């Protein structure tokens, strides 16, 4: 499952980007190159069936709006692909409130149905409030609750698949983070298509931007005016991911093609990883009934800690 990068051709118009392989592309040729790459990824990794009730997880950021924009475009050409957006409001003041305004505006303008679910309504507390109570890494607790809600709500909304805006840089970071944390089992759950459709407890996830670099997605979102401003979560700066991202960007600058090489070699080993961890038994959380690796799922463990801390 190797990544193939075609050499795109361009004209004499003003370039908007220089690709990893060195080519400079104008707006029209870059749009053509980028959209072809996404639609080829969908075909190459068999991300979509003939008929889908597709959920698209959006944050209001460039990656998720790009994937929603392109999948919506695809659904207009193919009425059997139905697209609905889903957003999670973690409750991060000064950040998520702003990106959700962008998400709502985008969905209104493009006539896409949007469902928003919040930590406050679902768990009783915003992420900001949780972080005042528990001394934990923001992204760990945030990620656990977001995955939990996305999985549960995707099932309730009867999505056949859930598309996310993960790009090549995100995947590269996750691969290295799992290596650095000796968590190879988590890498078995990476790749452009995750989960099995026949499992009614897990929503199958797809990543149509899998082969697009962060730079390409940012350029596409910007030149097509998909959003007005770029926001970053205030908690991101403290994350392990941010360190890995900076390191990878530094390597890419010095050794062009590093990110493609990492993802390419990972794709070679992914079938073996999936085979090795295929037999892992997924239990059902005894408290909430959601899938879990242990008797209680990680969301319920955090909720219990929050309850105990509030009571003390
Ligand atoms: Fe949550 Fe961390 Fe992402 Fe902020 S950066 S939204 S805290 S996972
Ligand atoms: Zn649970």
């Amino acid at each position: 499952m190797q990544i193939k990068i075609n050499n795109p051709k361009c004209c004499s118009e003003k370039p908007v980007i220089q690709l990893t392989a060195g080519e400079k592309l104008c707006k029209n040729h870059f749009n053509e190159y980028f959209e072809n790459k996404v639609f080829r990824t969908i075909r190459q990794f068999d991300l979509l069936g003939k008929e889908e009730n597709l959920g698209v997880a959006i944050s209001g950021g460039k990656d998720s709006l790009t994937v929603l924009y392109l999948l919506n475009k695809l659904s207009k050409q193919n009425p059997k692909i139905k697209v609905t957006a889903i957003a999670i409001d973690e409750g991060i003041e000064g950040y998520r409130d702003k990106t959700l305004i962008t998400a709502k505006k985008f969905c209104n303008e493009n006539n896409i149905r949007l469902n928003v679910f919040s930590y406050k309504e679902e768990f009783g507390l915003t992420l900001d409030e949780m972080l005042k109570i528990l001394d934990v890494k923001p992204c760990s607790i945030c990620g656990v609750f977001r995955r939990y809600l996305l999985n549960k709500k995707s099932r309730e909304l009867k999505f056949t698949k859930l598309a996310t805006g993960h790009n090549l840089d995100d995947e590269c970071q996750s691969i290295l983070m799992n290596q650095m944390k000796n968590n190879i089992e988590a890498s078995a759950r990476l790749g452009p298509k995750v989960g099995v459709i026949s499992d009614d407890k897990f929503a199958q996830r797809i990543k149509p931007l899998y082969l697009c670099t962060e730079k390409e997605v940012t350029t596409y979102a910007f030149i097509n005016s998909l959003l007005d401003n770029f926001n970053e979560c205030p908690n991101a700066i403290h994350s392990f991911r941010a360190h890995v991202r900076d390191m990878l960007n530094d390597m890419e600058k010095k050794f062009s093609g590093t990110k493609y090489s990492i993802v390419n070699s990972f794709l070679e080993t992914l079938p073996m990883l999936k085979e090795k961890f295929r037999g892992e038994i997924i239990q059902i959380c005894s408290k909430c009934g959601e899938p879990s690796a242990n008797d209680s799922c990680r969301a319920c463990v955090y909720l219990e800690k929050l309850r105990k801390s509030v009571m003390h």
Side-chain angles (χ1 to χ4, degrees):
M1 227 197 266
Q2 284 276 315
I3 301 172
K4 291 178 217 91
I5 311 167
N6 291 344
N7 281 341
K9 297 271 175 293
C10 195
C11 56
S12 54
E13 290 291 311
K14 188 170 157 250
V16 292
I17 190 170
Q18 178 162 19
L19 303 177
T20 307
E23 296 90 347
K24 291 180 180 169
L25 297 182
C26 72
K27 180 177 173 179
N28 285 343
H29 280 106
F30 173 66
N31 271 341
E32 191 185 319
Y33 159 84
F34 185 85
E35 291 180 15
N36 280 342
K37 191 172 181 177
V38 175
F39 295 139
R40 206 175 53 234
T41 303
I42 292 174
R43 284 195 305 274
Q44 186 180 345
F45 296 107
D46 198 19
L47 301 190
L48 292 177
K50 286 198 172 68
E51 203 168 333
E52 300 280 3
N53 180 23
L54 195 58
V56 183
I58 61 165
S59 63
K62 59 180 171 40
D63 302 292
S64 58
L65 292 188
T66 296
V67 82
L68 179 59
Y69 176 77
L70 290 175
L71 290 171
N72 192 44
K73 200 169 172 174
L74 200 75
S75 85
K76 282 184 187 149
Q77 293 157 10
N78 184 351
K80 287 195 173 164
I81 309 281
K82 197 177 137 223
V83 165
T84 307
I86 175 170
I88 304 296
D89 179 2
E90 301 92 345
I92 305 170
E93 213 188 320
Y95 166 63
R96 185 57 80 220
D97 36 1
K98 286 186 188 151
T99 67
L100 279 176
I101 291 173
T102 308
K104 284 175 190 164
K105 185 169 161 256
F106 183 90
C107 289
N108 265 338
E109 285 171 3
N110 290 280
N111 214 10
I112 301 167
R113 196 151 54 90
L114 168 67
N115 298 277
V116 184
F117 301 98
S118 72
Y119 286 9
K120 184 77 179 177
E121 270 180 33
E122 301 288 332
F123 307 117
L125 294 167
T126 64
L127 181 70
D128 287 347
E129 288 167 343
M130 290 176 187
L131 293 174
K132 281 188 193 131
I133 299 169
L134 290 184
D135 183 19
V136 289
K137 295 208 170 70
C139 297
S140 307
I141 187 167
C142 182
V144 165
F145 284 130
R146 185 176 334 94
R147 278 191 297 276
Y148 177 94
L149 271 189
L150 281 175
N151 193 55
K152 189 173 168 197
K153 299 298 174 185
S154 294
R155 231 181 31 238
E156 288 173 9
L157 290 163
K158 300 200 177 351
F159 292 153
T160 48
K161 285 180 185 127
L162 181 69
T164 63
H166 289 100
N167 61 40
L168 185 106
D169 287 49
D170 297 324
E171 186 79 353
C172 223
Q173 290 154 17
S174 299
I175 295 164
L176 287 194
M177 285 164 69
N178 291 340
Q179 292 277 356
M180 288 172 179
K181 296 207 165 197
N182 191 19
N183 192 4
I184 291 304
E185 192 179 344
S187 284
R189 293 191 294 270
L190 293 176
K193 187 157 137 184
V194 189
V196 278
I197 196 157
S198 56
D199 191 323
D200 56 5
K201 280 281 171 193
F202 274 117
Q204 192 177 38
R205 295 183 184 218
I206 56 167
K207 303 173 188 168
L209 305 183
Y210 194 80
L211 302 183
C212 304
T213 63
E214 174 110 20
K215 183 179 166 185
E216 289 172 347
V217 181
T218 308
T219 305
Y220 186 83
F222 179 70
I223 63 176
N224 292 292
S225 310
L226 299 190
L227 66 175
D228 311 324
N229 44 36
F230 295 94
N231 288 296
E232 192 174 30
C233 175
N235 299 317
I237 196 161
H238 308 298
S239 68
F240 183 49
R241 183 175 287 277
H243 291 282
V244 176
R245 180 192 62 195
D246 292 347
M247 183 193 77
L248 269 169
N249 285 344
D250 185 48
M251 287 297 287
E252 181 69 41
K253 218 159 125 193
K254 291 174 183 150
F255 307 99
S256 176
T258 297
K259 292 173 189 173
Y260 276 114
S261 297
I262 291 173
V263 171
N264 239 338
S265 51
F266 173 72
L267 284 173
E268 285 288 306
T269 56
L270 186 58
M272 287 176 265
L273 279 180
K274 287 209 186 285
E275 182 59 31
K276 178 166 165 57
F277 293 104
R278 194 166 53 106
E280 294 299 306
I281 298 161
I282 295 290
Q283 305 179 37
I284 297 299
C285 172
S286 59
K287 295 193 173 67
C288 70
E290 286 297 302
S292 169
N294 303 302
D295 179 52
S296 293
C297 73
R298 290 181 69 198
C300 283
V301 170
Y302 273 129
L303 285 174
E304 189 59 27
K305 277 189 189 166
L306 284 164
R307 242 175 252 128
K308 278 189 184 150
S309 303
V310 170
M311 274 157 49
H312 278 124

